[in-house]
Amino acid sequence: MYSIRQEELFSFKELFLMRPEDKYSQIFEHLDLAKVLHVLRKKNNRGRPEELNVPAMIYSLLIAKMENIEFVSSLVWRLTHSEEFRAQCRFTGSDNIPSESSYSRLIHALEQTGMLEKLQDSLVLSAIEEGFVSGTHLAVDSSIVEAWDCRFSEAAAKRRAARRAPKPSEAPVAQQLQFELTEPEPEVVNEPPKKPVYTKRGRPSNAEKERRRPEQEAYEQSLGPFQKTIEAMLPYTYDELLAALPRHAARCDKKNTEGRLTSYYGFKANVLVDTDCQYIVSGVWSSANLNDQRMAVVLLKGLLLKFPTLKVKHILGDKGYDCAAIYQLIHSLGAYPAIPMIHRKDPPEGMNVDYTPVCSQGHAYRYDSFDAKYETLKYTQPSECKGCPLLSSGCQKVFKIRIQTDLRKHTYPARGSEGFTELYKKRTAVERVFAYLKEYFGMKRTRHRGVRASVDFQLSTLAYNLSKFALDKLNQQLRNSQQVA
């Protein structure tokens, strides 16, 4: 019988050195938590000393998004049973494993201080300084994030309240006597005035209009920013809009890809994406029933406040953002909109559906150039008019239209031109970013409510931008090493 001895391929030390590389060290190298720890630290030395590793807890929340760990309980279980995972999250051997309540308190603190949004903004500023983000073309869009756990929470809450409400016969005797002897004092509630309703038909007289004006003004002043018209939202600042922004789960009806009306219950993620590098420049979490145009106002207001040095040339959006107030806000930022138009009525005579001049034979003029100084679009005669008998007398050779005449109808580049078509193709970048967030960074759905749901969105976008920034830095180092070699 033969005895064959197989020699070892490598020693134990070499085997230890060949372990998989910690990919998160490359990502978290660019995350500065100094300001976050300064805000979250204890204000004084009194009380129980801190025993939790807060930076490692933040790292673990970000890794949970990258590893598609949906629940905090699953994260705690993974930390408890995997030493390798604890090392990846940068927990030391002497650190206590945080409980679910500890993570809950940390999430609430991150939401109240707004530090995740500040981390996101500082990361985007670093990408701008490195030259990864140019901001030339930005795309705005929103996506529904369903809330599966509270899909029927309103009806269930009413049923639970009805079951828990005590019957009049079961109330304590002292409460019954107190109710019989003393009447409760009426509560002073400052209710906003209700919308005036007028049943009289016909056009009101001038005296009736003057009488109704104070009631209408009082009603309009009582409305919040997101209850007013979109034009009335423009004077509000970014902080005022964020303070009044509804962030609870709500029901929303939306058409799917097949054109059928589908009902959703949950939230809405709204983002501004650089189409050239696919970075998330800014993002806002809101209720699902809010209009996309209102959320675009919030995003564009914050863009100028957060990144004043960013030179934006075009802002792209789908037909849902076709609104005069959106065009006005984009133009105030020094940019030009690239948004398809919703045709609510037929174009005037001499114009086609893209509001391009048309000759007497029905041929559209060719978009030639744009004068940036005077913001004027130049159109020249179409090629079909070369042999037309009306060329010398009936048709105009050149049309020049200023954008300021109507910001919604005329934009640069002109609608229907090849330049507009090629530019609008870049809008698909924001759809790819939503696909990445939902497939790889845990934003497909949320089982949390309110504060925790908004923190989930901020963690997903921060993890995505961190991964993108780390990849760009590695590619930059590779290119530099190849040039030196």
Side-chain angles (χ1 to χ4, degrees), residues 15 60 74 78 100 108 219 230 318 339 466 477:
L15 179 65
S60 63
S74 303
R78 184 86 176 270
E100 295 183 38
H108 280 274
Y219 169 72
I230 300 177
D318 56 14
I339 302 172
L466 274 172
Q477 294 174 5

Side-chain angles (χ1 to χ4, degrees), residues 270-284:
N270 311 271
V271 297
L272 266 175
V273 174
D274 191 316
T275 60
D276 298 324
C277 59
Q278 298 184 16
Y279 273 85
I280 299 175
V281 178
S282 181
V284 177

Side-chain angles (χ1 to χ4, degrees), residues 40 47 152 154 158 164 176 200 319 345 389 411 413 439:
L40 298 180
F152 305 101
E154 298 176 2
K158 292 180 181 179
R164 293 175 182 176
Q176 294 181 10
K200 187 177 180 180
K319 288 185 177 181
K345 59 181 181 179
T411 183
E439 188 68 23

Side-chain angles (χ1 to χ4, degrees), residues 336 367 369-378 400 412:
Y336 299 100
Y367 168 68
S369 60
F370 175 72
D371 188 353
K373 182 178 180 180
Y374 299 100
E375 294 188 336
T376 303
L377 300 171
K378 181 181 178 181
K400 292 185 177 181
Y412 163 65

Side-chain angles (χ1 to χ4, degrees), residues 373-391:
K373 182 178 180 180
Y374 299 100
E375 294 188 336
T376 303
L377 300 171
K378 181 181 178 181
Y379 296 90
T380 58
Q381 284 182 337
S383 57
E384 294 85 356
C385 295
K386 289 183 179 180
C388 181
L390 302 176
L391 183 61

